[in-house]
Structure formats: structure tokens, C-alpha cells
Amino acid sequence: MPAETTSLPQVRRFEGPQGSRIYRITCDAFPGLTVHVHLLVGLGPPTIIDVGSGFGEANRQLMQGLERVRSEFAEPVGLADIQRIIITHGHIDHFGGLSFLHERAPQAEIAIHELDVLILTSFEERVAVAKRAIRRFLQEAGVGAELLADFMDVYGFSKKNVRSLPVSRTLIDNQELDGLRFIHTPGHCPGQVCIIAGDVIFTADHILPEISPHQAPESIMPYTGLGHYLESLEKVERLGEFRLALGGHQGPMQDIGKRIADIRQGHHRKLDKILTIVRNNGPLTINEISQQLYTHVKGFHVLLALEEVAAHVEYLSQHAKLRIANLDEYRLEENTPVRYCVA
């Protein structure tokens, strides 16, 4: 994602449906990335949507933001009044601060989609499963042993201070709850939900105003993958327009129909670029394709680029555009680097 930084928590108020109020508290998630926590008041019990990363100054900024809602906007809601915490999806920049907030608001029920429940209730298990899947992915992508070890260290770093928590409510697709409707939109994350509140939609990371949310292949995690993501875009598109769309990062949106069209076109352009790279230079591993498509990325962004390329290669393979060139070697040697050619 492009760099976003903030020193003090920014708080912005939006008018919600039926006289409700929405407060967006912007906190640092990780260096170069901010995330929005939304407080919803006046539509069912006081509700917090996502809680930030819990990393660095994030928890302090969240508390300061909640205090500013009381002092600057005269909204008489404190931690003791929060009755519900909704996690839109199981990515750490959106739920990492949950333990901190739960200790200070233990009365609040915790809700998350059923496909992401284990991220909260069995966090250590899910990290272990994910690390094994990512290691295999990197080996098959053609990443060398030294770089693979570096990636695995970085992957585990931000997760060291997170612990498992109980979930009070499991969300499912099209569920309605106190004026909120939950739409399951897998792709970016298995349990990603968009939340409809009247003519407002909280899009979390599914639809963002300036970037296309990161994609990873379903071979790493079920219910991710570009195919699921594009289907989920269509699902939200069929809901029609909304007065206001609030994502988990960046600014508010008014025309999500146009934004969906732009995101879709961007993915199809990337699919075409990958096909061209493989056609002109193949057979290639995912690592080799990524090096040609993303020539300037460094550090952890190299891993993100590899996953993004893999999601598109997987989609092309599923649609009979690419195939495995070294199939005999792939059959005989587990975790061998896979080379793709045009089908």
C-alpha cells in the first residue's frame, strides 16, 4: 500500500442512517500504513468496527481517538458503553488491538465471520498452519533458501504479541443484526465481510478508493484467490449504489460502482501483462514473473508481490491460460519450483 502516516489520531464524523453517527478514528497500523477504526452510535448498541493493529502507538491512538469523540464531538459514549466489537476480517492490522480493547471493555461481544473465527479463537494454530502453507508456496515459487528464511522471520514478527480470544457471535452471509447487514465477500481474506447500514456500506479492505486490495493465491489459504475476489466484487456491485462507502484504509467513497469497475479492469490488465511475460520469456517460476512485473519492490513488499503474482497465475491456470511446463519434475519432487508456460 502507499505510505500513509499520522502522529495523532485523526477523528472524522459521518452521518449514518436514521440519525446515527459514525466516527472514523485513524491510527497507525505499521510503519507507512494507517487503518481506520469506526465507532457506530445510534443504530443498535454502540459498536466498534475493527480495532487496529495493536502495534507501536496504535492502542494509545485508539484510546485518544475515543476520548476525542467524547470531548470534541460531545458524544456521550465511553468504553463502558461499547456493547459490540465487529472484526471485518482476520488480518492483523484490523484485529491486532483486540486483546487490549477487550481487557478495557470486557462487556462487549466480539463478532467475526465464521471463516475467520479460528484466527481469533485459535490464533497460534492458524499461524502455524499459515506458515507451513507459505513455506511450501515460496519453495514452489522458486524463492531461494536464504530469502525464504528472511520472509518467514518477517511474517512471524508482527504476530508475536497477539493471543487467542473468545468469539461471542459468528457472522454469516446476509445476516442482519440491529440495523446492520453482513455481506460475505471472500477473496482478500476468507472471512471478509462488508457491512451495510442503510445507505452506508463499510467495505473494509474489499473495496478501497486508491488501490486494489492485496491478493494471495487460494493455494495458501482457502477462500482467498483472485477468482473469489472478482466474484465478491460482482456481489457488492449487484447491491446497487450507496450514499457513502467507508473502507478500512484511505478516504471515503461515493461511487463504488465506478471504483469496482476500475479495480476489475486493473486486474485484467495485470492478467494480460503476466500472460505476455510468460509468452515472451517462459517457462518461468512465479518468482521470475514477479521480478519482471515488479522491478522496484524491496523488503517485505517482495513477498507481497510474489503472492499477488501467484494469485493471478493461479487464476490464469484455473481458466486454462497457463499450464505447468515441468510437470514430470513436479510429480517426482515435492516442493520443486514450478515453471509455467502458456497453455
Side-chain angles (χ1 to χ4, degrees), residues 4-121:
E4 307 173 55
T5 57
T6 180
S7 55
L8 293 175
Q10 303 168 3
V11 180
R12 182 173 175 183
R13 171 177 164 149
F14 300 92
E15 297 302 319
Q18 304 173 29
S20 60
R21 287 84 62 201
I22 300 166
Y23 297 94
R24 188 186 70 185
I25 302 170
T26 303
C27 305
D28 292 325
F30 301 110
L33 176 68
T34 60
V35 66
H36 302 316
V37 175
H38 291 100
L39 171 65
L40 180 57
V41 182
L43 193 68
T47 296
I48 287 179
I49 300 175
D50 287 338
V51 296
S53 69
F55 184 84
E57 297 296 306
N59 291 332
R60 179 185 63 80
Q61 291 173 344
L62 174 57
M63 297 300 289
Q64 288 180 336
L66 291 171
E67 179 55 36
R68 286 185 62 189
V69 170
R70 289 172 57 87
S71 61
E72 298 181 21
F73 295 90
E75 190 70 68
V77 175
L79 282 176
D81 303 299
I82 303 299
Q83 297 301 311
R84 183 172 295 141
I85 301 171
I86 299 170
I87 303 300
T88 60
H89 62 293
H91 285 170
I92 200 163
D93 53 326
H94 295 263
F95 78 86
L98 188 56
S99 296
F100 175 86
L101 192 61
H102 179 63
E103 290 175 357
R104 289 154 180 80
Q107 76 284 349
E109 70 171 17
I110 299 171
I112 192 170
H113 188 270
E114 59 183 350
L115 290 180
D116 279 354
V117 164
L118 289 180
I119 290 291
L120 299 187
T121 62

Side-chain angles (χ1 to χ4, degrees), residues 205-241:
D205 280 5
H206 183 54
I207 303 169
L208 298 173
E210 300 174 23
I211 63 168
S212 174
H214 174 66
Q215 301 300 312
E218 192 170 13
S219 60
I220 294 179
M221 182 70 68
Y223 290 93
T224 61
L226 185 60
H228 283 297
Y229 179 71
L230 293 176
E231 290 171 358
S232 294
L233 282 182
E234 293 178 5
K235 189 175 187 178
V236 174
E237 192 173 39
R238 291 194 296 267
L239 297 173
E241 288 297 327

Side-chain angles (χ1 to χ4, degrees), residues 15 30 46 66 74 80 88 108 140 143 174 188 203 207 244 257 283 293 316 323 328:
E15 297 302 319
F30 301 110
L66 291 171
T88 60
E140 293 190 351
V143 173
N174 270 318
H188 175 67
T203 61
I207 303 169
L244 178 65
L293 188 64
L316 289 167
R323 63 179 178 84
D328 290 341

Side-chain angles (χ1 to χ4, degrees), residues 270-285:
K270 191 172 295 182
L271 290 167
D272 289 340
K273 288 180 181 178
I274 289 173
L275 267 178
T276 299
I277 288 172
V278 176
R279 182 180 295 112
N280 293 339
N281 304 279
L284 296 174
T285 65

